[in-house]
């Protein structure tokens, strides 16, 4: 049973190891006498899960693995629920339309009859699928399902029977990886991008080396100096402003303020929707005070890490056609300028504050991802984390500019 | 192995899950890693465990400059150098210049000690990795004197973290872990009662209601925590306020009385004012 549980946890993506399982087992051995399921839940969680972000997933796995311990069998649960109660509940929660749908299966009597038949056929617990009783499926019987004719078994009934179980409450849901960021979280994620190096003039006393060389010098003091350590990572941050980005202002502000304190070499510029021949540093004077993109490419060495922040939602023409920009006439396509940037700074990622599920619906997003060679990540903790890892790895090959579009200059 | 168990103390309310985590760590002699929102009593836990088990508490507060070996021992080369130039006799015995660290202290305690490593995430990323062997085997080697320091009684090591850095997996694997959740209304009532046993029931109910209302306001930069609630109640008590006064205050004036103890920055105060104002207008219309 524990082996099963262990592998289910690993399947759910919780990094448990054999050592941790063994320590849980030895804990069980020492004090098994006083055990009830609640205590076992707390103990196993404390021994196996080492990050509160995994609490929610742990609760889910625990719930599905040990449900049998709680409710001896589904039949027994069902046996304790009076039919009227189910019906009453359904009347309370179902709309007229839904009730009509129930009729489609032959009405309540029919539904309960089918349920009993299924129960007889089914001997084990079941999750998913569309026929058997269990959780998460589309069968009319089970919990967390989508069938409007559904009869909930498991979650609500067992709650009714005993006090709600801790792991079924799923109170740690919002500690999972996909939470929104705040400045502190972002800083922690960005900190991974640190790479310390000693550069510049030696102005700090190197204690260890001084002692070593003094000893070698027969006890006569021999001072050794080293330069101070600095974070050697350099970042070029390009941020989309205005238009559809207005919905994401807060999170971008937070990312920006975190990045600003975290890196000594941070350069930032703004763009609107997509990159063209100009970028700017001051949003209020964006039309008078611009820097040409070519200048930026020439000014910064190629070891700068280039991070785009934008939702990449616009008309596809804004990327692929000359003159596609909404603000001015651009002689060359946005894509061309974009390629020039990514070629000049091969370590690059795109962070998208828009939810990942929306990405495929937007053609402009797909084009951008192609141009980025798939290095687009959602602006969540997990996304930021993978983005940073990508930045530290060797860059993916870029697509040569000429292949993309005909350019005249 | 001792059968001592931690059951909470007269002024610290430990939830069932927290007790389980502490007792598991005690029994299996593993370090216990504690995380949680600031102000939920992570550091306090070590103090209370030490008090309830009547064990000596050794505190090691970590700063960004703290190095792992400072917890073990330090070799004071500078005073040895000085002594050698003054011709002091002490100079011939190197062990005179070994300064014991907190971990050594805990290992050599006559009774089983509680070692608190506070805010481990403040230190450099490599810090936890440098302590793996010491925490696992509860022993370390002093190179200068060629001496192996072994724990007489394996101490209970309580480590707190505020999540500012991720801890390495190898380190996590050796610890038990517990996340102190923000207490619910009921637990909170117990906690306040433990600290202010004479508090009137109605004032407590009123204050807790207000407190959770403040906490639930969306978009607060820093949500008030347990320690802030306790401070606030202390203030209310010193002003000798009654529940009626508190209630009245919250309907006539927008901000709860003495809100300075609960809301710690001006954006939050503004935000809360705005929310409360909207709320009030809704009620009046």
């Amino acid at each position: 049973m524990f082996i099963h549980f262990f592998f289910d946890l690993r399947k759910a993506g919780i990094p448990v190891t054999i050592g941790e399982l063994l320590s849980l087992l030895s804990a069980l051995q020492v004090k098994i006498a006083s055990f009830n399921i609640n205590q076992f839940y707390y103990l196993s969680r404390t021994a196996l899960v080492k990050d509160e972000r995994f609490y929610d997933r742990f609760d889910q796995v625990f719930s599905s693995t040990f449900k049998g311990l709680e409710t001896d069998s589904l039949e027994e649960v069902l046996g304790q629920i009076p039919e009227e109660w189910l019906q009453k509940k359904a009347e309370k929660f179902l709309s007229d339309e839904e009730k009509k749908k129930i009729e489609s299966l032959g009405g309540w009597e029919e539904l309960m009859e089918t349920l009993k038949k299924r129960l007889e056929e089914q001997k084990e617990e079941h999750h998913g699928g569309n026929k058997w009783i269990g959780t998460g499926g589309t069968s009319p019987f089970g919990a967390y399902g989508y069938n409007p004719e559904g009869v909930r078994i498991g979650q609500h009934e067992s709650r009714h029977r005993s006090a709600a179980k801790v792991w079924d409450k799923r109170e740690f849901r919002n500690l999972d990886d996909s939470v929104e960021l705040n400045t502190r979280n972002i800083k922690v994620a960005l900190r991974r991008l640190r790479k310390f190096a000693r550069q510049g003039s030696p102005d700090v006393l190197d204690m260890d080396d001084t002692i070593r060389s003094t000893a070698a010098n027969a006890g006569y003091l021999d001072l050794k100096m080293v330069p101070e350590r600095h974070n050697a990572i350099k970042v070029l941050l390009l941020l989309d402003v205005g238009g559809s980005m207005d919905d994401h202002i807060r999170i971008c502000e937070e990312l920006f303020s975190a990045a600003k304190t975290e890196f000594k070499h941070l350069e930032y510029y703004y763009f609107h929707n997509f990159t063209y021949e100009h970028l700017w540093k001051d949003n209020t004077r964006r039309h008078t005070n611009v820097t040409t993109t070519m200048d930026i490419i020439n000014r910064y060495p190629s070891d700068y890490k280039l991070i785009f922040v934008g939702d990449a939602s616009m008309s596809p023409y804004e990327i692929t056609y000359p003159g596609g920009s909404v603000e001015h006439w651009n002689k060359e396509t946005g894509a061309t300028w974009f390629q020039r940037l990514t070629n000049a700074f091969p370590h690059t990622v795109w962070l998208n504050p828009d939810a990942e599920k929306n990405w495929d619906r937007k053609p402009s997003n797909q084009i951008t991802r192609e141009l980025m060679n798939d290095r687009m990540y959602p602006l969540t903790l997990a996304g930021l984390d993978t983005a940073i890892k990508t930045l530290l790895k060797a860059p993916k090959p870029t697509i040569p500019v000429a292949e993309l579009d005909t350019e005249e200059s | 192995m001792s059968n001592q168990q931690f059951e909470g103390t007269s002024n610290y309310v430990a939830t069932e899950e927290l007790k389980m985590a502490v007792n598991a760590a005690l029994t299996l002699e593993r370090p216990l890693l504690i995380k949680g929102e600031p102000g939920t009593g992570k550091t306090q836990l070590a103090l209370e465990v030490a008090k309830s088990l009547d064990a000596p508490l050794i505190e090691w507060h970590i700063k960004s400059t703290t190095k792992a070996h400072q917890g073990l021992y330090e070799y004071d080369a500078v005073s040895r150098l000085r002594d050698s130039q003054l011709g002091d006799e002490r100079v011939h015995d190197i062990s005179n210049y070994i300064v014991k660290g907190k971990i050594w202290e805990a290992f050599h305690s006559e009774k089983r000690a509680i070692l608190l490593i506070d805010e481990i995430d403040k230190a450099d990323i490599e810090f936890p990795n440098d302590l793996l062997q010491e925490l696992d085997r509860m022993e370390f080697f002093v190179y200068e004197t060629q001496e192996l320091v072994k724990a007489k009684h394996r101490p209970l090591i309580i480590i707190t973290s505020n999540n500012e850095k991720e801890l390495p997996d190898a380190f996590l694997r050796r610890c038990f872990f517990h996340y102190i959740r923000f207490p619910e209304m009921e637990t909170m009532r117990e906690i306040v009662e433990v600290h202010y046993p004479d508090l009137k029931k109605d004032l407590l109910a009123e204050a807790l209601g207000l407190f959770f209302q403040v906490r639930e306001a969306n978009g607060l930069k820093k949500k008030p925590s347990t320690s802030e609630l306790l401070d606030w109640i202390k203030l209310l008590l010193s002003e000798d306020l009654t529940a009626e006064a508190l209630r009245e205050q919250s309907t006539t004036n927008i901000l709860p009385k003495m809100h300075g103890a609960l809301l710690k920055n001006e954006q939050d105060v503004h935000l809360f004012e705005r929310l409360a104002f909207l709320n009030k207008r809704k009620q009046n219309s």
Side-chain angles (χ1 to χ4, degrees):
Chain A
M1 174 143 228
F2 290 124
I3 306 290
H4 218 75
F5 182 45
F6 177 73
F7 279 105
D8 280 350
L9 285 173
R10 283 195 70 94
K11 223 183 285 165
I14 304 173
V16 280
T17 59
I18 296 170
E20 284 160 326
L21 179 68
L22 291 179
S23 78
L24 171 64
L25 292 179
S26 63
L28 284 172
Q29 222 160 34
V30 180
K31 42 193 337 204
I32 194 151
S34 67
F35 262 65
N36 66 30
I37 181 89
N38 259 327
Q39 287 190 322
F40 172 68
Y41 164 70
Y42 292 141
L43 179 70
S44 54
R45 196 181 65 186
T46 215
L48 298 176
V49 188
K50 301 299 159 67
D51 194 326
E52 70 276 12
R53 282 178 301 179
F54 297 124
Y55 271 13
D56 180 43
R57 277 185 237 172
F58 179 80
D59 286 358
Q60 281 170 279
V61 176
F62 191 91
S63 158
S64 73
T65 312
F66 292 107
K67 213 186 276 157
L69 289 182
E70 278 298 301
T71 57
D72 296 324
S73 68
L74 281 169
E75 278 97 325
E76 218 183 282
V77 181
L78 198 76
Q80 291 177 2
I81 306 157
E83 218 162 286
E84 306 87 76
W85 188 81
L86 274 176
Q87 213 159 345
K88 216 175 163 186
K89 187 171 140 101
E91 270 160 18
K92 205 159 140 198
F93 287 107
L94 296 182
S95 64
D96 286 337
E97 206 176 312
E98 282 168 323
K99 277 182 201 154
K100 251 178 231 153
K101 273 188 184 163
I102 292 178
E103 297 297 314
S104 76
L105 207 89
W108 261 107
E109 268 81 295
E110 189 77 7
L111 194 66
M112 296 314 291
E113 199 56 36
T114 329
L115 173 61
K116 273 179 201 146
K117 223 182 285 164
R118 293 262 170 95
L119 270 177
E120 279 161 23
E121 289 175 68
Q122 180 183 357
K123 287 295 169 229
E124 52 190 31
E125 273 186 54
H126 183 79
H127 308 283
N130 59 14
K131 185 178 178 193
W132 296 119
I133 301 156
T135 55
T138 51
S139 157
F141 311 113
Y144 299 142
Y146 302 103
N147 195 313
E149 303 166 16
V151 176
R152 284 184 186 193
I153 297 170
Q155 302 307 323
H156 285 203
E157 274 72 9
S158 58
R159 268 186 198 188
H160 152 81
R161 208 163 67 93
S162 61
K165 286 176 287 299
V166 204
W167 49 92
D168 266 348
K169 284 196 215 152
R170 297 189 56 195
E171 279 169 340
F172 291 95
R173 200 172 315 178
N174 56 0
L175 291 176
D176 210 339
D177 262 65
S178 36
V179 273
E180 272 192 56
L181 300 157
N182 63 35
T183 328
R184 175 136 284 180
N185 290 344
I186 298 175
K187 276 188 198 166
V188 175
L190 287 177
R191 234 167 249 186
R192 286 203 167 202
L193 200 50
R194 287 194 300 188
K195 202 186 275 172
F196 284 107
R198 296 189 187 277
Q199 269 174 353
S201 60
D203 51 0
V204 180
L205 179 67
D206 184 347
M207 200 53 145
D208 291 342
D209 199 20
T210 303
I211 293 168
R212 202 175 309 117
S213 62
T214 304
N217 208 11
Y220 288 99
L221 208 53
D222 182 15
L223 291 179
K224 293 283 175 195
M225 310 292 273
V226 281
E228 211 180 326
R229 286 201 321 162
H230 289 297
N231 188 357
I233 290 283
K234 292 171 270 187
V235 175
L236 183 58
L237 193 62
L238 300 188
L239 298 129
D240 185 359
V241 283
S244 52
M245 281 299 283
D246 286 350
D247 304 343
H248 310 295
I249 283 180
R250 218 189 89 237
I251 193 167
C252 290
E253 273 176 2
E254 285 179 351
L255 174 74
F256 185 69
S257 72
K260 224 176 163 182
T261 51
E262 208 49 53
F263 300 108
K264 203 176 163 211
H265 303 277
L266 173 79
E267 296 295 337
Y268 62 93
Y269 291 92
Y270 297 107
F271 61 92
H272 182 61
N273 280 356
F274 215 71
T275 50
Y276 303 104
E277 59 272 28
H278 297 301
L279 300 168
W280 56 93
K281 254 197 152 140
D282 184 347
N283 249 322
T284 53
R285 290 185 295 164
R286 56 193 284 184
H287 295 294
T288 50
N289 213 346
V290 293
T291 315
T292 65
T293 308
M294 220 51 221
D295 262 2
I296 290 166
I297 291 173
N298 292 335
R299 190 179 303 159
Y300 303 110
S302 65
D303 60 345
Y304 265 80
K305 316 266 185 221
L306 178 63
I307 303 177
F308 293 94
V309 182
D311 59 356
S313 58
M314 64 204 99
S315 142
Y317 298 115
E318 292 178 48
I319 305 178
T320 49
Y321 276 78
S325 165
V326 283
E327 286 195 325
H328 69 299
W329 173 261
N330 55 310
K331 201 168 125 202
E332 287 173 287
T333 63
T336 312
W337 282 109
F338 189 77
Q339 286 306 114
R340 285 193 184 128
L341 278 167
T342 51
N343 283 359
F345 307 103
H347 291 274
T348 175
V349 289
W350 184 298
L351 294 174
N352 194 333
D354 202 9
E356 206 170 352
K357 62 178 188 321
N358 300 334
W359 290 7
D360 281 330
R361 282 196 274 128
K362 294 172 182 162
S364 60
N365 185 300
Q366 291 173 15
I367 298 172
T368 313
R369 261 188 294 166
E370 236 164 77
L371 289 171
M372 280 308 290
N373 218 338
D374 258 337
R375 285 170 295 182
M376 183 185 282
Y377 304 92
L379 194 42
T380 58
L381 265 193
L384 198 56
D385 224 44
T386 16
I388 299 283
K389 274 184 205 146
T390 317
L391 278 180
L392 290 174
K393 271 189 267 172
K396 285 189 178 185
T398 42
I399 311 156
V401 187
E403 258 182 44
L404 253 147
D405 212 35
T406 51
E407 53 168 307
E408 294 158 4
S409 64
Chain B
M1 192 179 296
S2 95
N3 289 322
Q4 275 180 304
Q5 297 278 300
F6 173 63
E7 291 293 342
T9 63
S10 55
N11 49 6
Y12 188 82
V13 178
T15 55
E16 195 65 30
E17 30 184 346
L18 180 59
K19 276 185 232 165
M20 173 58 76
V22 173
N23 287 331
L26 264 175
T27 324
L28 291 193
E29 306 183 315
R30 294 289 186 89
L32 174 64
L33 173 65
I34 300 280
K35 282 203 222 167
E37 268 185 55
T40 41
K42 296 189 290 291
T43 309
Q44 201 61 29
L45 173 72
L47 308 181
E48 299 299 335
V49 171
K51 207 193 285 171
S52 104
L53 300 183
D54 193 26
L57 174 73
I58 294 158
E59 293 176 69
W60 187 19
H61 298 280
I62 307 298
K63 295 182 208 152
S64 63
T65 50
T66 308
K67 294 275 178 292
H69 66 79
Q70 293 171 342
L72 307 174
Y73 67 92
E74 278 180 290
Y75 170 41
D76 189 357
V78 176
S79 37
R80 189 166 189 223
L81 186 63
R82 191 197 54 212
D83 283 355
S84 83
Q85 287 177 343
L86 295 175
D88 197 313
E89 270 309 302
R90 271 160 44 95
V91 81
H92 298 297
D93 186 2
I94 199 164
S95 63
N96 285 332
Y97 302 95
I98 301 284
V99 183
K100 288 181 189 176
K102 299 283 184 192
I103 293 180
W104 191 331
E105 218 178 289
F107 283 2
H108 270 192
S109 162
E110 288 305 324
K111 279 173 75 178
R112 174 170 59 182
I114 313 288
L115 174 64
L116 167 68
I117 303 183
D118 205 11
E119 314 205 28
I120 195 166
D121 53 328
K122 296 281 176 295
D124 194 73
I125 289 175
E126 289 305 322
F127 180 87
N129 276 336
D130 295 344
L131 286 177
L132 290 181
Q133 182 75 355
E134 286 72 17
L135 296 184
D136 215 23
R137 310 257 300 267
M138 300 270 181
E139 63 181 38
F140 61 90
F141 192 70
V142 186
Y143 293 101
E144 280 79 358
T145 56
Q146 299 289 306
E147 168 191 8
L148 183 72
V149 176
K150 226 176 150 117
K152 287 184 185 161
H153 306 276
R154 289 171 73 101
L156 171 66
I157 303 178
I158 295 181
I159 301 162
T160 72
S161 163
N162 273 326
N163 241 356
E164 281 187 31
K165 286 191 192 80
E166 291 220 13
L167 299 169
D169 289 343
F171 176 77
L172 292 176
R173 238 179 287 136
R174 287 166 167 82
C175 302
F176 281 126
F177 171 69
H178 183 70
Y179 181 84
I180 300 189
R181 204 150 25 112
F182 196 80
E184 286 159 354
M185 191 71 136
E186 260 324 294
T187 322
M188 196 53 115
R189 197 182 306 262
E190 270 179 59
I191 294 174
V192 177
E193 267 165 9
V194 154
H195 285 263
Y196 301 103
D198 306 329
L199 197 63
K200 286 191 202 80
K201 281 269 176 314
D202 49 347
L203 179 64
L204 175 59
E206 195 64 31
L208 278 180
L210 268 173
F211 172 74
F212 276 95
Q213 221 174 320
V214 173
R215 255 187 80 83
E216 269 155 32
N218 265 335
L220 283 189
K221 281 202 169 171
K222 163 78 177 82
K223 288 185 176 178
S225 64
T226 317
S227 63
E228 273 133 9
L229 172 69
L230 293 179
D231 284 349
W232 184 51
I233 289 182
K234 198 171 173 187
L235 268 176
L236 294 179
L237 280 180
S238 70
E239 286 285 304
D240 214 6
L241 276 176
T242 58
E244 287 76 44
L246 197 61
R247 197 172 309 136
E248 196 172 315
Q249 202 69 31
S250 65
T251 48
T252 52
N253 196 338
I254 283 169
L255 287 166
K257 209 161 171 98
M258 313 281 177
H259 63 266
L262 292 178
L263 299 169
K264 294 286 172 74
N265 70 42
E266 75 189 68
Q267 283 107 311
D268 281 356
V269 174
H270 286 161
L271 180 90
F272 194 76
E273 255 173 345
R274 221 169 45 230
L275 286 176
F277 179 71
L278 290 175
N279 225 348
K280 212 173 119 195
R281 206 164 54 179
K282 223 187 285 166
Q283 279 172 6
N284 290 346
S285 65

